[in-house]
Amino acid sequence: MERYLLDHIDEIAKVLTLEQGKPLCEARIEIAGAARYFEYYGNQAETVEGRSIPLGKGYFEFTTYEPFGVSAQIIPWNFPVEMTARSLSAALATGNACVIKTAELTPLGNAWFAHAANAVGLPKGAINILCGLGVTRARPYRLTRS
């Protein structure tokens, strides 16, 4: 995903600038920072370790590596791409699927993560992006008698 972000930095930067008014040079810095998170956690993925605590003679101990499952991130509006990359890269590196709730003011920048996921061959459902205002509560309907 790192390479995808850097290869499309000009396109993504324009979207961030149009979407939130961020200067183009700052948008490029944000995208480059986001790419660094994928580089860092991608390198860390091979060093994830665990250890088994010896239980004594006659016991068999082992460590099982498995993801937690689904990681959810709620992303603020001010640095949408970099903040998403920070949590998404760590979650993917440890084998977790991700649900990203974008800020309602800046959903378009995060759409590039969906494009990147397809381009790099992540399985469907590995990254899920939710846009919008979120759940609204409906007022309960009350019956009145006259």
Side-chain angles (χ1 to χ4, degrees):
M1 294 196 53
E2 169 201 1
R3 186 80 261 146
Y4 186 90
L5 292 175
L6 293 175
D7 288 347
H8 294 87
I9 194 168
D10 292 328
E11 299 163 80
I12 302 168
K14 286 177 189 173
V15 168
L16 290 178
T17 297
L18 292 171
E19 184 174 53
Q20 72 183 147
K22 182 176 284 198
L24 195 56
C25 63
E26 286 186 26
R28 292 177 57 82
I29 291 168
E30 179 179 345
I31 297 159
R36 277 190 228 104
Y37 281 114
F38 284 99
E39 178 186 17
Y40 177 80
Y41 284 108
N43 288 329
Q44 293 299 312
E46 65 185 31
T47 64
V48 174
E49 59 182 66
R51 63 183 190 147
S52 296
I53 300 170
L55 300 175
K57 191 174 181 176
Y59 290 95
F60 175 72
E61 68 271 344
F62 63 95
T63 301
T64 303
Y65 298 100
E66 57 185 44
F68 287 111
V70 179
S71 172
Q73 293 94 28
I74 300 173
I75 306 302
W77 64 270
N78 51 349
F79 289 92
V81 173
E82 194 163 3
M83 298 296 278
T84 300
R86 183 173 68 180
S87 53
L88 178 62
S89 58
L92 290 175
T94 53
N96 296 291
C98 299
V99 177
I100 300 164
K101 167 58 179 87
T102 66
E104 56 272 6
L105 299 173
T106 56
L108 299 177
N110 278 292
W112 285 93
F113 288 109
H115 296 301
N118 286 333
V120 301
L122 288 178
K124 289 185 180 191
I127 298 176
N128 304 278
I129 300 174
L130 303 174
C131 303
L133 297 174
V135 176
T136 57
R137 272 197 154 159
R139 292 186 179 172
Y141 180 73
R142 293 185 182 163
L143 292 175
T144 56
R145 296 181 190 209
S146 14

mmCIF file with all atom_site columns, all heavy atoms in Angstrom, residues 64-90:
data_model
loop_
_atom_site.group_PDB
_atom_site.id
_atom_site.type_symbol
_atom_site.label_atom_id
_atom_site.label_alt_id
_atom_site.label_comp_id
_atom_site.label_asym_id
_atom_site.label_entity_id
_atom_site.label_seq_id
_atom_site.pdbx_PDB_ins_code
_atom_site.Cartn_x
_atom_site.Cartn_y
_atom_site.Cartn_z
_atom_site.occupancy
_atom_site.B_iso_or_equiv
_atom_site.pdbx_formal_charge
_atom_site.auth_seq_id
_atom_site.auth_comp_id
_atom_site.auth_asym_id
_atom_site.auth_atom_id
_atom_site.pdbx_PDB_model_num
ATOM 1   N N   . THR A 1 64 ? 0.286   -19.760 19.849 1.00 0.00 ? 64 THR A N   1
ATOM 2   C CA  . THR A 1 64 ? -0.504  -19.688 18.630 1.00 0.00 ? 64 THR A CA  1
ATOM 3   C C   . THR A 1 64 ? -0.609  -18.230 18.211 1.00 0.00 ? 64 THR A C   1
ATOM 4   O O   . THR A 1 64 ? -1.022  -17.383 19.004 1.00 0.00 ? 64 THR A O   1
ATOM 5   C CB  . THR A 1 64 ? -1.924  -20.246 18.856 1.00 0.00 ? 64 THR A CB  1
ATOM 6   O OG1 . THR A 1 64 ? -1.817  -21.585 19.322 1.00 0.00 ? 64 THR A OG1 1
ATOM 7   C CG2 . THR A 1 64 ? -2.738  -20.207 17.585 1.00 0.00 ? 64 THR A CG2 1
ATOM 8   N N   . TYR A 1 65 ? -0.232  -17.944 16.986 1.00 0.00 ? 65 TYR A N   1
ATOM 9   C CA  . TYR A 1 65 ? -0.355  -16.590 16.449 1.00 0.00 ? 65 TYR A CA  1
ATOM 10  C C   . TYR A 1 65 ? -1.678  -16.490 15.708 1.00 0.00 ? 65 TYR A C   1
ATOM 11  O O   . TYR A 1 65 ? -1.941  -17.249 14.787 1.00 0.00 ? 65 TYR A O   1
ATOM 12  C CB  . TYR A 1 65 ? 0.779   -16.301 15.474 1.00 0.00 ? 65 TYR A CB  1
ATOM 13  C CG  . TYR A 1 65 ? 2.136   -16.348 16.122 1.00 0.00 ? 65 TYR A CG  1
ATOM 14  C CD1 . TYR A 1 65 ? 2.942   -17.469 15.995 1.00 0.00 ? 65 TYR A CD1 1
ATOM 15  C CD2 . TYR A 1 65 ? 2.599   -15.273 16.859 1.00 0.00 ? 65 TYR A CD2 1
ATOM 16  C CE1 . TYR A 1 65 ? 4.189   -17.521 16.596 1.00 0.00 ? 65 TYR A CE1 1
ATOM 17  C CE2 . TYR A 1 65 ? 3.848   -15.311 17.463 1.00 0.00 ? 65 TYR A CE2 1
ATOM 18  C CZ  . TYR A 1 65 ? 4.634   -16.438 17.325 1.00 0.00 ? 65 TYR A CZ  1
ATOM 19  O OH  . TYR A 1 65 ? 5.860   -16.470 17.916 1.00 0.00 ? 65 TYR A OH  1
ATOM 20  N N   . GLU A 1 66 ? -2.504  -15.585 16.131 1.00 0.00 ? 66 GLU A N   1
ATOM 21  C CA  . GLU A 1 66 ? -3.759  -15.377 15.432 1.00 0.00 ? 66 GLU A CA  1
ATOM 22  C C   . GLU A 1 66 ? -4.199  -13.924 15.620 1.00 0.00 ? 66 GLU A C   1
ATOM 23  O O   . GLU A 1 66 ? -3.907  -13.306 16.639 1.00 0.00 ? 66 GLU A O   1
ATOM 24  C CB  . GLU A 1 66 ? -4.842  -16.332 15.926 1.00 0.00 ? 66 GLU A CB  1
ATOM 25  C CG  . GLU A 1 66 ? -5.119  -16.269 17.399 1.00 0.00 ? 66 GLU A CG  1
ATOM 26  C CD  . GLU A 1 66 ? -6.113  -17.329 17.831 1.00 0.00 ? 66 GLU A CD  1
ATOM 27  O OE1 . GLU A 1 66 ? -5.998  -18.482 17.395 1.00 0.00 ? 66 GLU A OE1 1
ATOM 28  O OE2 . GLU A 1 66 ? -7.001  -16.988 18.602 1.00 0.00 ? 66 GLU A OE2 1
ATOM 29  N N   . PRO A 1 67 ? -4.873  -13.380 14.613 1.00 0.00 ? 67 PRO A N   1
ATOM 30  C CA  . PRO A 1 67 ? -5.331  -11.994 14.717 1.00 0.00 ? 67 PRO A CA  1
ATOM 31  C C   . PRO A 1 67 ? -6.458  -11.868 15.738 1.00 0.00 ? 67 PRO A C   1
ATOM 32  O O   . PRO A 1 67 ? -7.102  -12.852 16.097 1.00 0.00 ? 67 PRO A O   1
ATOM 33  C CB  . PRO A 1 67 ? -5.823  -11.677 13.314 1.00 0.00 ? 67 PRO A CB  1
ATOM 34  C CG  . PRO A 1 67 ? -6.148  -13.002 12.714 1.00 0.00 ? 67 PRO A CG  1
ATOM 35  C CD  . PRO A 1 67 ? -5.219  -13.997 13.352 1.00 0.00 ? 67 PRO A CD  1
ATOM 36  N N   . PHE A 1 68 ? -6.661  -10.669 16.192 1.00 0.00 ? 68 PHE A N   1
ATOM 37  C CA  . PHE A 1 68 ? -7.777  -10.413 17.099 1.00 0.00 ? 68 PHE A CA  1
ATOM 38  C C   . PHE A 1 68 ? -9.097  -10.492 16.353 1.00 0.00 ? 68 PHE A C   1
ATOM 39  O O   . PHE A 1 68 ? -10.114 -10.798 16.919 1.00 0.00 ? 68 PHE A O   1
ATOM 40  C CB  . PHE A 1 68 ? -7.648  -9.037  17.752 1.00 0.00 ? 68 PHE A CB  1
ATOM 41  C CG  . PHE A 1 68 ? -6.572  -8.992  18.787 1.00 0.00 ? 68 PHE A CG  1
ATOM 42  C CD1 . PHE A 1 68 ? -5.424  -8.271  18.577 1.00 0.00 ? 68 PHE A CD1 1
ATOM 43  C CD2 . PHE A 1 68 ? -6.703  -9.679  19.981 1.00 0.00 ? 68 PHE A CD2 1
ATOM 44  C CE1 . PHE A 1 68 ? -4.425  -8.224  19.526 1.00 0.00 ? 68 PHE A CE1 1
ATOM 45  C CE2 . PHE A 1 68 ? -5.720  -9.654  20.942 1.00 0.00 ? 68 PHE A CE2 1
ATOM 46  C CZ  . PHE A 1 68 ? -4.573  -8.919  20.709 1.00 0.00 ? 68 PHE A CZ  1
ATOM 47  N N   . GLY A 1 69 ? -9.092  -10.175 15.086 1.00 0.00 ? 69 GLY A N   1
ATOM 48  C CA  . GLY A 1 69 ? -10.319 -10.224 14.298 1.00 0.00 ? 69 GLY A CA  1
ATOM 49  C C   . GLY A 1 69 ? -10.524 -8.952  13.527 1.00 0.00 ? 69 GLY A C   1
ATOM 50  O O   . GLY A 1 69 ? -9.920  -8.746  12.490 1.00 0.00 ? 69 GLY A O   1
ATOM 51  N N   . VAL A 1 70 ? -11.352 -8.074  14.045 1.00 0.00 ? 70 VAL A N   1
ATOM 52  C CA  . VAL A 1 70 ? -11.684 -6.839  13.347 1.00 0.00 ? 70 VAL A CA  1
ATOM 53  C C   . VAL A 1 70 ? -11.240 -5.654  14.192 1.00 0.00 ? 70 VAL A C   1
ATOM 54  O O   . VAL A 1 70 ? -11.505 -5.591  15.385 1.00 0.00 ? 70 VAL A O   1
ATOM 55  C CB  . VAL A 1 70 ? -13.203 -6.747  13.064 1.00 0.00 ? 70 VAL A CB  1
ATOM 56  C CG1 . VAL A 1 70 ? -13.541 -5.442  12.363 1.00 0.00 ? 70 VAL A CG1 1
ATOM 57  C CG2 . VAL A 1 70 ? -13.658 -7.939  12.234 1.00 0.00 ? 70 VAL A CG2 1
ATOM 58  N N   . SER A 1 71 ? -10.583 -4.727  13.546 1.00 0.00 ? 71 SER A N   1
ATOM 59  C CA  . SER A 1 71 ? -10.129 -3.503  14.189 1.00 0.00 ? 71 SER A CA  1
ATOM 60  C C   . SER A 1 71 ? -10.965 -2.353  13.642 1.00 0.00 ? 71 SER A C   1
ATOM 61  O O   . SER A 1 71 ? -11.163 -2.255  12.431 1.00 0.00 ? 71 SER A O   1
ATOM 62  C CB  . SER A 1 71 ? -8.650  -3.288  13.868 1.00 0.00 ? 71 SER A CB  1
ATOM 63  O OG  . SER A 1 71 ? -8.213  -2.046  14.320 1.00 0.00 ? 71 SER A OG  1
ATOM 64  N N   . ALA A 1 72 ? -11.464 -1.506  14.516 1.00 0.00 ? 72 ALA A N   1
ATOM 65  C CA  . ALA A 1 72 ? -12.276 -0.370  14.077 1.00 0.00 ? 72 ALA A CA  1
ATOM 66  C C   . ALA A 1 72 ? -11.550 0.932   14.362 1.00 0.00 ? 72 ALA A C   1
ATOM 67  O O   . ALA A 1 72 ? -10.945 1.089   15.419 1.00 0.00 ? 72 ALA A O   1
ATOM 68  C CB  . ALA A 1 72 ? -13.624 -0.374  14.803 1.00 0.00 ? 72 ALA A CB  1
ATOM 69  N N   . GLN A 1 73 ? -11.600 1.842   13.405 1.00 0.00 ? 73 GLN A N   1
ATOM 70  C CA  . GLN A 1 73 ? -10.976 3.149   13.562 1.00 0.00 ? 73 GLN A CA  1
ATOM 71  C C   . GLN A 1 73 ? -11.972 4.242   13.229 1.00 0.00 ? 73 GLN A C   1
ATOM 72  O O   . GLN A 1 73 ? -12.662 4.160   12.208 1.00 0.00 ? 73 GLN A O   1
ATOM 73  C CB  . GLN A 1 73 ? -9.760  3.301   12.638 1.00 0.00 ? 73 GLN A CB  1
ATOM 74  C CG  . GLN A 1 73 ? -8.607  2.416   12.965 1.00 0.00 ? 73 GLN A CG  1
ATOM 75  C CD  . GLN A 1 73 ? -8.605  1.126   12.178 1.00 0.00 ? 73 GLN A CD  1
ATOM 76  O OE1 . GLN A 1 73 ? -9.107  1.065   11.082 1.00 0.00 ? 73 GLN A OE1 1
ATOM 77  N NE2 . GLN A 1 73 ? -8.045  0.088   12.738 1.00 0.00 ? 73 GLN A NE2 1
ATOM 78  N N   . ILE A 1 74 ? -12.038 5.238   14.073 1.00 0.00 ? 74 ILE A N   1
ATOM 79  C CA  . ILE A 1 74 ? -12.845 6.425   13.808 1.00 0.00 ? 74 ILE A CA  1
ATOM 80  C C   . ILE A 1 74 ? -11.853 7.542   13.504 1.00 0.00 ? 74 ILE A C   1
ATOM 81  O O   . ILE A 1 74 ? -11.030 7.895   14.340 1.00 0.00 ? 74 ILE A O   1
ATOM 82  C CB  . ILE A 1 74 ? -13.742 6.782   15.008 1.00 0.00 ? 74 ILE A CB  1
ATOM 83  C CG1 . ILE A 1 74 ? -14.680 5.616   15.296 1.00 0.00 ? 74 ILE A CG1 1
ATOM 84  C CG2 . ILE A 1 74 ? -14.506 8.067   14.734 1.00 0.00 ? 74 ILE A CG2 1
ATOM 85  C CD1 . ILE A 1 74 ? -15.500 5.767   16.556 1.00 0.00 ? 74 ILE A CD1 1
ATOM 86  N N   . ILE A 1 75 ? -11.918 8.070   12.307 1.00 0.00 ? 75 ILE A N   1
ATOM 87  C CA  . ILE A 1 75 ? -10.891 8.969   11.794 1.00 0.00 ? 75 ILE A CA  1
ATOM 88  C C   . ILE A 1 75 ? -11.342 10.427  11.882 1.00 0.00 ? 75 ILE A C   1
ATOM 89  O O   . ILE A 1 75 ? -12.442 10.761  11.469 1.00 0.00 ? 75 ILE A O   1
ATOM 90  C CB  . ILE A 1 75 ? -10.572 8.611   10.324 1.00 0.00 ? 75 ILE A CB  1
ATOM 91  C CG1 . ILE A 1 75 ? -10.212 7.122   10.198 1.00 0.00 ? 75 ILE A CG1 1
ATOM 92  C CG2 . ILE A 1 75 ? -9.479  9.495   9.759  1.00 0.00 ? 75 ILE A CG2 1
ATOM 93  C CD1 . ILE A 1 75 ? -9.049  6.657   11.034 1.00 0.00 ? 75 ILE A CD1 1
ATOM 94  N N   . PRO A 1 76 ? -10.482 11.311  12.402 1.00 0.00 ? 76 PRO A N   1
ATOM 95  C CA  . PRO A 1 76 ? -10.820 12.732  12.452 1.00 0.00 ? 76 PRO A CA  1
ATOM 96  C C   . PRO A 1 76 ? -10.678 13.388  11.073 1.00 0.00 ? 76 PRO A C   1
ATOM 97  O O   . PRO A 1 76 ? -10.079 12.821  10.165 1.00 0.00 ? 76 PRO A O   1
ATOM 98  C CB  . PRO A 1 76 ? -9.796  13.297  13.439 1.00 0.00 ? 76 PRO A CB  1
ATOM 99  C CG  . PRO A 1 76 ? -8.628  12.398  13.303 1.00 0.00 ? 76 PRO A CG  1
ATOM 100 C CD  . PRO A 1 76 ? -9.189  11.026  13.006 1.00 0.00 ? 76 PRO A CD  1
ATOM 101 N N   . TRP A 1 77 ? -11.182 14.591  10.944 1.00 0.00 ? 77 TRP A N   1
ATOM 102 C CA  . TRP A 1 77 ? -11.207 15.276  9.657  1.00 0.00 ? 77 TRP A CA  1
ATOM 103 C C   . TRP A 1 77 ? -9.883  15.935  9.287  1.00 0.00 ? 77 TRP A C   1
ATOM 104 O O   . TRP A 1 77 ? -9.607  16.161  8.118  1.00 0.00 ? 77 TRP A O   1
ATOM 105 C CB  . TRP A 1 77 ? -12.301 16.348  9.650  1.00 0.00 ? 77 TRP A CB  1
ATOM 106 C CG  . TRP A 1 77 ? -12.049 17.432  10.655 1.00 0.00 ? 77 TRP A CG  1
ATOM 107 C CD1 . TRP A 1 77 ? -12.460 17.464  11.950 1.00 0.00 ? 77 TRP A CD1 1
ATOM 108 C CD2 . TRP A 1 77 ? -11.267 18.610  10.463 1.00 0.00 ? 77 TRP A CD2 1
ATOM 109 N NE1 . TRP A 1 77 ? -11.991 18.589  12.582 1.00 0.00 ? 77 TRP A NE1 1
ATOM 110 C CE2 . TRP A 1 77 ? -11.263 19.328  11.683 1.00 0.00 ? 77 TRP A CE2 1
ATOM 111 C CE3 . TRP A 1 77 ? -10.583 19.152  9.380  1.00 0.00 ? 77 TRP A CE3 1
ATOM 112 C CZ2 . TRP A 1 77 ? -10.601 20.526  11.853 1.00 0.00 ? 77 TRP A CZ2 1
ATOM 113 C CZ3 . TRP A 1 77 ? -9.917  20.356  9.547  1.00 0.00 ? 77 TRP A CZ3 1
ATOM 114 C CH2 . TRP A 1 77 ? -9.932  21.029  10.770 1.00 0.00 ? 77 TRP A CH2 1
ATOM 115 N N   . ASN A 1 78 ? -9.030  16.258  10.239 1.00 0.00 ? 78 ASN A N   1
ATOM 116 C CA  . ASN A 1 78 ? -7.899  17.127  9.957  1.00 0.00 ? 78 ASN A CA  1
ATOM 117 C C   . ASN A 1 78 ? -6.719  16.437  9.264  1.00 0.00 ? 78 ASN A C   1
ATOM 118 O O   . ASN A 1 78 ? -5.999  17.065  8.517  1.00 0.00 ? 78 ASN A O   1
ATOM 119 C CB  . ASN A 1 78 ? -7.438  17.852  11.218 1.00 0.00 ? 78 ASN A CB  1
ATOM 120 C CG  . ASN A 1 78 ? -7.200  16.930  12.382 1.00 0.00 ? 78 ASN A CG  1
ATOM 121 O OD1 . ASN A 1 78 ? -7.559  15.758  12.352 1.00 0.00 ? 78 ASN A OD1 1
ATOM 122 N ND2 . ASN A 1 78 ? -6.598  17.447  13.421 1.00 0.00 ? 78 ASN A ND2 1
ATOM 123 N N   . PHE A 1 79 ? -6.484  15.168  9.503  1.00 0.00 ? 79 PHE A N   1
ATOM 124 C CA  . PHE A 1 79 ? -5.427  14.412  8.827  1.00 0.00 ? 79 PHE A CA  1
ATOM 125 C C   . PHE A 1 79 ? -5.986  13.055  8.437  1.00 0.00 ? 79 PHE A C   1
ATOM 126 O O   . PHE A 1 79 ? -5.524  12.022  8.932  1.00 0.00 ? 79 PHE A O   1
ATOM 127 C CB  . PHE A 1 79 ? -4.197  14.246  9.730  1.00 0.00 ? 79 PHE A CB  1
ATOM 128 C CG  . PHE A 1 79 ? -3.435  15.515  9.945  1.00 0.00 ? 79 PHE A CG  1
ATOM 129 C CD1 . PHE A 1 79 ? -3.704  16.337  11.027 1.00 0.00 ? 79 PHE A CD1 1
ATOM 130 C CD2 . PHE A 1 79 ? -2.453  15.891  9.041  1.00 0.00 ? 79 PHE A CD2 1
ATOM 131 C CE1 . PHE A 1 79 ? -3.011  17.508  11.220 1.00 0.00 ? 79 PHE A CE1 1
ATOM 132 C CE2 . PHE A 1 79 ? -1.748  17.070  9.217  1.00 0.00 ? 79 PHE A CE2 1
ATOM 133 C CZ  . PHE A 1 79 ? -2.027  17.888  10.309 1.00 0.00 ? 79 PHE A CZ  1
ATOM 134 N N   . PRO A 1 80 ? -6.966  13.010  7.545  1.00 0.00 ? 80 PRO A N   1
ATOM 135 C CA  . PRO A 1 80 ? -7.678  11.754  7.301  1.00 0.00 ? 80 PRO A CA  1
ATOM 136 C C   . PRO A 1 80 ? -6.812  10.624  6.751  1.00 0.00 ? 80 PRO A C   1
ATOM 137 O O   . PRO A 1 80 ? -6.957  9.479   7.175  1.00 0.00 ? 80 PRO A O   1
ATOM 138 C CB  . PRO A 1 80 ? -8.773  12.153  6.304  1.00 0.00 ? 80 PRO A CB  1
ATOM 139 C CG  . PRO A 1 80 ? -8.275  13.390  5.659  1.00 0.00 ? 80 PRO A CG  1
ATOM 140 C CD  . PRO A 1 80 ? -7.456  14.093  6.689  1.00 0.00 ? 80 PRO A CD  1
ATOM 141 N N   . VAL A 1 81 ? -5.914  10.924  5.849  1.00 0.00 ? 81 VAL A N   1
ATOM 142 C CA  . VAL A 1 81 ? -5.110  9.858   5.237  1.00 0.00 ? 81 VAL A CA  1
ATOM 143 C C   . VAL A 1 81 ? -4.039  9.370   6.202  1.00 0.00 ? 81 VAL A C   1
ATOM 144 O O   . VAL A 1 81 ? -3.854  8.162   6.385  1.00 0.00 ? 81 VAL A O   1
ATOM 145 C CB  . VAL A 1 81 ? -4.500  10.343  3.896  1.00 0.00 ? 81 VAL A CB  1
ATOM 146 C CG1 . VAL A 1 81 ? -3.530  9.322   3.340  1.00 0.00 ? 81 VAL A CG1 1
ATOM 147 C CG2 . VAL A 1 81 ? -5.611  10.618  2.892  1.00 0.00 ? 81 VAL A CG2 1
ATOM 148 N N   . GLU A 1 82 ? -3.347  10.287  6.842  1.00 0.00 ? 82 GLU A N   1
ATOM 149 C CA  . GLU A 1 82 ? -2.275  9.882   7.754  1.00 0.00 ? 82 GLU A CA  1
ATOM 150 C C   . GLU A 1 82 ? -2.816  9.164   8.992  1.00 0.00 ? 82 GLU A C   1
ATOM 151 O O   . GLU A 1 82 ? -2.259  8.165   9.436  1.00 0.00 ? 82 GLU A O   1
ATOM 152 C CB  . GLU A 1 82 ? -1.435  11.081  8.164  1.00 0.00 ? 82 GLU A CB  1
ATOM 153 C CG  . GLU A 1 82 ? -0.140  10.683  8.813  1.00 0.00 ? 82 GLU A CG  1
ATOM 154 C CD  . GLU A 1 82 ? 0.869   11.815  8.859  1.00 0.00 ? 82 GLU A CD  1
ATOM 155 O OE1 . GLU A 1 82 ? 0.567   12.938  8.437  1.00 0.00 ? 82 GLU A OE1 1
ATOM 156 O OE2 . GLU A 1 82 ? 1.979   11.548  9.343  1.00 0.00 ? 82 GLU A OE2 1
ATOM 157 N N   . MET A 1 83 ? -3.917  9.656   9.548  1.00 0.00 ? 83 MET A N   1
ATOM 158 C CA  . MET A 1 83 ? -4.496  9.014   10.733 1.00 0.00 ? 83 MET A CA  1
ATOM 159 C C   . MET A 1 83 ? -5.041  7.624   10.398 1.00 0.00 ? 83 MET A C   1
ATOM 160 O O   . MET A 1 83 ? -4.943  6.702   11.203 1.00 0.00 ? 83 MET A O   1
ATOM 161 C CB  . MET A 1 83 ? -5.598  9.884   11.330 1.00 0.00 ? 83 MET A CB  1
ATOM 162 C CG  . MET A 1 83 ? -5.102  11.238  11.818 1.00 0.00 ? 83 MET A CG  1
ATOM 163 S SD  . MET A 1 83 ? -3.942  11.101  13.165 1.00 0.00 ? 83 MET A SD  1
ATOM 164 C CE  . MET A 1 83 ? -5.046  10.911  14.517 1.00 0.00 ? 83 MET A CE  1
ATOM 165 N N   . THR A 1 84 ? -5.603  7.475   9.224  1.00 0.00 ? 84 THR A N   1
ATOM 166 C CA  . THR A 1 84 ? -6.079  6.157   8.803  1.00 0.00 ? 84 THR A CA  1
ATOM 167 C C   . THR A 1 84 ? -4.908  5.209   8.623  1.00 0.00 ? 84 THR A C   1
ATOM 168 O O   . THR A 1 84 ? -4.947  4.063   9.084  1.00 0.00 ? 84 THR A O   1
ATOM 169 C CB  . THR A 1 84 ? -6.882  6.258   7.489  1.00 0.00 ? 84 THR A CB  1
ATOM 170 O OG1 . THR A 1 84 ? -8.004  7.110   7.700  1.00 0.00 ? 84 THR A OG1 1
ATOM 171 C CG2 . THR A 1 84 ? -7.359  4.896   7.031  1.00 0.00 ? 84 THR A CG2 1
ATOM 172 N N   . ALA A 1 85 ? -3.859  5.679   7.980  1.00 0.00 ? 85 ALA A N   1
ATOM 173 C CA  . ALA A 1 85 ? -2.693  4.830   7.725  1.00 0.00 ? 85 ALA A CA  1
ATOM 174 C C   . ALA A 1 85 ? -2.059  4.362   9.023  1.00 0.00 ? 85 ALA A C   1
ATOM 175 O O   . ALA A 1 85 ? -1.599  3.218   9.116  1.00 0.00 ? 85 ALA A O   1
ATOM 176 C CB  . ALA A 1 85 ? -1.672  5.583   6.884  1.00 0.00 ? 85 ALA A CB  1
ATOM 177 N N   . ARG A 1 86 ? -2.045  5.229   10.035 1.00 0.00 ? 86 ARG A N   1
ATOM 178 C CA  . ARG A 1 86 ? -1.407  4.868   11.298 1.00 0.00 ? 86 ARG A CA  1
ATOM 179 C C   . ARG A 1 86 ? -2.063  3.641   11.926 1.00 0.00 ? 86 ARG A C   1
ATOM 180 O O   . ARG A 1 86 ? -1.392  2.731   12.386 1.00 0.00 ? 86 ARG A O   1
ATOM 181 C CB  . ARG A 1 86 ? -1.457  6.055   12.266 1.00 0.00 ? 86 ARG A CB  1
ATOM 182 C CG  . ARG A 1 86 ? -0.749  5.768   13.571 1.00 0.00 ? 86 ARG A CG  1
ATOM 183 C CD  . ARG A 1 86 ? -0.661  6.985   14.428 1.00 0.00 ? 86 ARG A CD  1
ATOM 184 N NE  . ARG A 1 86 ? -1.976  7.375   14.905 1.00 0.00 ? 86 ARG A NE  1
ATOM 185 C CZ  . ARG A 1 86 ? -2.188  8.420   15.683 1.00 0.00 ? 86 ARG A CZ  1
ATOM 186 N NH1 . ARG A 1 86 ? -1.192  9.195   16.041 1.00 0.00 ? 86 ARG A NH1 1
ATOM 187 N NH2 . ARG A 1 86 ? -3.398  8.703   16.085 1.00 0.00 ? 86 ARG A NH2 1
ATOM 188 N N   . SER A 1 87 ? -3.381  3.613   11.946 1.00 0.00 ? 87 SER A N   1
ATOM 189 C CA  . SER A 1 87 ? -4.057  2.477   12.576 1.00 0.00 ? 87 SER A CA  1
ATOM 190 C C   . SER A 1 87 ? -4.260  1.317   11.604 1.00 0.00 ? 87 SER A C   1
ATOM 191 O O   . SER A 1 87 ? -4.145  0.156   11.988 1.00 0.00 ? 87 SER A O   1
ATOM 192 C CB  . SER A 1 87 ? -5.382  2.920   13.177 1.00 0.00 ? 87 SER A CB  1
ATOM 193 O OG  . SER A 1 87 ? -6.167  3.597   12.222 1.00 0.00 ? 87 SER A OG  1
ATOM 194 N N   . LEU A 1 88 ? -4.536  1.625   10.354 1.00 0.00 ? 88 LEU A N   1
ATOM 195 C CA  . LEU A 1 88 ? -4.782  0.578   9.360  1.00 0.00 ? 88 LEU A CA  1
ATOM 196 C C   . LEU A 1 88 ? -3.536  -0.268  9.121  1.00 0.00 ? 88 LEU A C   1
ATOM 197 O O   . LEU A 1 88 ? -3.621  -1.499  9.061  1.00 0.00 ? 88 LEU A O   1
ATOM 198 C CB  . LEU A 1 88 ? -5.245  1.218   8.053  1.00 0.00 ? 88 LEU A CB  1
ATOM 199 C CG  . LEU A 1 88 ? -5.499  0.294   6.873  1.00 0.00 ? 88 LEU A CG  1
ATOM 200 C CD1 . LEU A 1 88 ? -6.611  -0.687  7.188  1.00 0.00 ? 88 LEU A CD1 1
ATOM 201 C CD2 . LEU A 1 88 ? -5.839  1.112   5.637  1.00 0.00 ? 88 LEU A CD2 1
ATOM 202 N N   . SER A 1 89 ? -2.387  0.362   9.023  1.00 0.00 ? 89 SER A N   1
ATOM 203 C CA  . SER A 1 89 ? -1.158  -0.378  8.737  1.00 0.00 ? 89 SER A CA  1
ATOM 204 C C   . SER A 1 89 ? -0.817  -1.355  9.855  1.00 0.00 ? 89 SER A C   1
ATOM 205 O O   . SER A 1 89 ? -0.419  -2.489  9.591  1.00 0.00 ? 89 SER A O   1
ATOM 206 C CB  . SER A 1 89 ? 0.001   0.586   8.487  1.00 0.00 ? 89 SER A CB  1
ATOM 207 O OG  . SER A 1 89 ? 0.187   1.437   9.605  1.00 0.00 ? 89 SER A OG  1
ATOM 208 N N   . ALA A 1 90 ? -0.984  -0.933  11.087 1.00 0.00 ? 90 ALA A N   1
ATOM 209 C CA  . ALA A 1 90 ? -0.687  -1.822  12.222 1.00 0.00 ? 90 ALA A CA  1
ATOM 210 C C   . ALA A 1 90 ? -1.683  -2.979  12.269 1.00 0.00 ? 90 ALA A C   1
ATOM 211 O O   . ALA A 1 90 ? -1.303  -4.128  12.517 1.00 0.00 ? 90 ALA A O   1
ATOM 212 C CB  . ALA A 1 90 ? -0.730  -1.039  13.528 1.00 0.00 ? 90 ALA A CB  1
#
